[in-house]
Amino acid sequence: MRILVVEDEPHLAAQLRQALTDAGYAVDHAGNGREGWQMGGVQAYDAVVLDLGLPELDGLSVLRRWRAEGVHAPVLILTARDQWHEKVAGIDAGADDYLTKPFHTEELLARVRALIRRAQGLASPVLHGGPVALDTRSGRVTLDGHALVLTSHEYKVLAYLMHRPNAVVSRSELNEHIYAQDFDRDSNTIEVFVARLRKKLPAGLIETVRGLGYRLVAPP
Ligand code: CA
């Protein structure tokens, strides 16, 4: 899952980036509205954390432009305290949720998790694929109730597939969603991660769809 953080305050930006990275997301950061708007238009992010008070282009304008351009990513806006009208304007401009500054990182993480799973039509924070369960709150993965040890990249690949049960996901899509912008990526490594995951997971859970990509096979 790849997240865009648009925040101009360096300290808060660094803190958000760290918390989201620790939670298993690939994180890109923009320090002003114009850069954020451009990045959000080019890359399909799984969620966006958007500050409203931004230099160059304010957050509301960024959001209105995205929605007018058909950018559908779930957006969590950060608003200043006592600015209730900002929340109303933000939601009317297409925000999916808001948080008032200052906030606890745990609350931001919970809201981001909820936005991502709602965007996929998933109600529970625990995702299931046959005997495999992935708890998006703790990052814990279990097989028949026993903990599985995954590397951070294996986790990112599995989490992406488990958010889209039974959907065909191409290698390039996985590449786009498990790495941050500044990461030196290599499309062959996706195959390596999937091969390693398959050794740890039940046979047939991750199916190869020839020429198209992978599918996490989950019984209805
Ligand atoms: Ca700001």
Side-chain angles (χ1 to χ4, degrees), residues 7-8 51 53 101:
E7 169 61 65
D8 58 315
D51 185 28
K101 290 180 175 182

Side-chain angles (χ1 to χ4, degrees), residues 73-196:
V75 174
L76 171 69
I77 53 171
L78 305 180
T79 65
R81 199 152 37 123
D82 302 331
Q83 299 287 313
W84 64 267
H85 55 276
E86 277 196 341
K87 296 168 193 161
V88 176
I91 290 165
D92 282 342
D96 298 275
D97 200 358
Y98 67 83
L99 253 183
T100 303
K101 290 180 175 182
F103 51 81
H104 289 282
T105 309
E106 288 305 318
E107 184 174 1
L108 177 120
L109 292 173
R111 288 177 184 274
V112 167
R113 284 194 294 272
L115 285 183
I116 290 174
R117 68 171 185 261
R118 266 189 256 138
Q120 302 304 325
L122 302 167
S124 165
V126 183
L127 310 178
H128 294 276
V132 178
L134 184 151
D135 190 330
T136 58
R137 296 164 299 187
S138 58
R140 194 175 137 92
V141 180
T142 57
L143 171 58
D144 289 322
H146 300 287
L148 276 185
V149 179
L150 303 180
T151 65
S152 86
H153 281 121
E154 288 165 5
Y155 176 83
K156 287 180 167 82
V157 170
L158 183 64
Y160 192 81
L161 292 173
M162 287 190 75
H163 274 87
R164 288 159 180 74
N166 299 311
V168 178
V169 176
S170 70
R171 267 197 294 272
S172 63
E173 183 177 344
L174 277 170
N175 241 322
E176 296 253 304
H177 289 268
I178 72 162
Y179 295 121
Q181 193 182 39
D182 49 10
F183 199 90
D184 187 16
R185 63 193 73 179
D186 170 0
S187 62
N188 293 322
T189 57
I190 295 289
E191 288 171 56
V192 175
F193 296 146
V194 170
R196 287 192 199 143

